[in-house]
Amino acid sequence: MKKLKENGLIHILNNVYSCIESYVDIPAGKTVELDLGCGKGGFSLALAERFPDSLILSADIMIGRMRKLDSRIRRRGLANISLFRVEARHFTALVLPDASLDRLHILCPDPWPKHRHRHNRLLCSDFIFHIYRVLKSSGVFHFSTDDVKYFKSTVNLIELSGLLVRDDDALNDISDIKTDFEKRWNDIGRKVHHACWRKKNILNHGIHGQHGN
Ligand SMILES: C[S@@+](CC[C@H](N)C(=O)[O-])C[C@H]1O[C@@H](n2cnc3c(N)ncnc32)[C@H](O)[C@@H]1O
């Protein structure tokens, strides 16, 4: 049975979480992209319009932003976006099964620039493990931020994890699409840095293979 949705489109997830398939039908072989922390959702809308055969999942903690996005989806008559009002870590850890996403976008997340607040950042080593887990084989993780320190620390964390391999070409088909925040930053002369990685096939790259075991 499908879970109840607000206004027919927004899934509100608070304390009880089910697998993604109980909220939305995902036929086998469907391309699925997640815009995590989508905000007002300009990026999600652009993805949904460019890739009508894909399913776009858009998630954010702020219900007001989800409602605005809901209205924009209805006005454009898009049927290939599903909205989730949910905390990002809960959605990733509790709702998404292994190997469920073709691309995961985390774009301009809150940077928490003060040193004492850095533990609030979404991108940390635990979370990178979940990113790895929910990506399909060769799935893509796309990150952007205007905060140079956050950008460098994320690149370092991912390199240290050994779970993903850098591949900025995986963005070639969407490099022209900017999020609402990226447009805002660009308007006041701030650059937004992007990076992209593919899921590594650990079995082939050999945790066990390196010493000939
Ligand atoms: C700076 S905005 C960026 C929005 C959008 N990605 C863009 O680039 O225009 C960050 C977004 O992440 C959402 N957010 C922050 N922490 C979150 C969390 N723990 N779970 C889900 N969403 C979160 C905020 O509500 C906000 O909409």
Side-chain angles (χ1 to χ4, degrees):
M1 191 181 78
K2 300 287 167 216
K3 307 283 174 199
L4 285 178
K5 296 180 273 184
E6 182 186 88
N7 298 330
L9 268 181
I10 308 173
H11 301 274
I12 312 266
L13 277 55
N14 285 320
N15 296 316
V16 178
Y17 302 90
S18 303
C19 175
I20 187 76
E21 299 269 7
S22 66
Y23 304 105
V24 56
D25 286 323
I26 307 183
K30 186 85 163 169
T31 298
V32 183
E33 305 205 29
L34 168 62
D35 183 6
L36 192 59
C38 62
K40 287 193 287 173
F43 183 79
S44 295
L45 290 171
L47 281 186
E49 284 178 334
R50 183 160 301 181
F51 305 112
D53 293 331
S54 298
L55 171 65
I56 311 303
L57 307 175
S58 305
D60 202 284
I61 194 85
M62 304 281 281
I63 187 64
R65 292 183 178 170
M66 301 268 61
R67 290 193 180 116
K68 280 185 191 143
L69 177 52
D70 184 22
S71 309
R72 293 170 85 190
I73 292 168
R74 287 157 184 276
R75 279 201 298 275
R76 295 180 194 208
L78 292 166
N80 60 333
I81 307 192
S82 281
L83 303 188
F84 294 84
R85 207 275 349 161
V86 66
E87 203 283 320
R89 296 170 189 85
H90 294 168
F91 190 64
T92 313
L94 303 173
V95 177
L96 294 176
D98 294 358
S100 49
L101 299 178
D102 291 272
R103 273 198 291 215
L104 167 52
H105 310 270
I106 299 182
L107 306 178
C108 299
D110 295 330
W112 296 100
K114 289 188 179 152
H115 187 72
R116 68 177 183 279
H117 291 152
R118 69 192 184 290
H119 57 273
N120 291 324
R121 287 176 174 170
L122 192 51
L123 270 295
C124 62
S125 46
D126 283 359
F127 195 67
I128 288 164
F129 172 73
H130 281 294
I131 291 172
Y132 173 82
R133 185 185 63 74
V134 300
L135 287 176
K136 294 180 185 173
S137 173
S138 298
V140 166
F141 172 53
H142 172 200
F143 175 77
S144 75
T145 178
D146 67 302
D147 187 291
V148 176
K149 284 187 180 162
Y150 195 9
F151 185 75
K152 285 184 178 165
S153 86
T154 301
V155 169
N156 282 341
L157 274 177
I158 291 180
E159 277 172 13
L160 282 172
S161 77
L163 297 173
L164 304 161
V165 62
R166 185 86 177 249
D167 180 9
D168 290 346
D169 286 344
L171 295 180
N172 285 346
D173 57 341
I174 52 166
S175 57
D176 58 315
I177 303 178
K178 294 186 177 191
T179 71
D180 303 294
F181 262 76
E182 179 161 8
K183 287 181 194 158
R184 270 169 63 174
W185 289 131
N186 290 168
D187 285 349
I188 57 166
R190 285 186 80 134
K191 181 175 165 53
V192 171
H193 308 272
H194 288 259
C196 202
W197 297 264
R198 275 191 193 280
K199 177 170 179 162
K200 231 186 219 180
N201 185 339
I202 298 284
L203 289 177
N204 286 346
H205 284 79
I207 290 177
H208 304 296
Q210 288 182 354
H211 303 292
N213 298 330

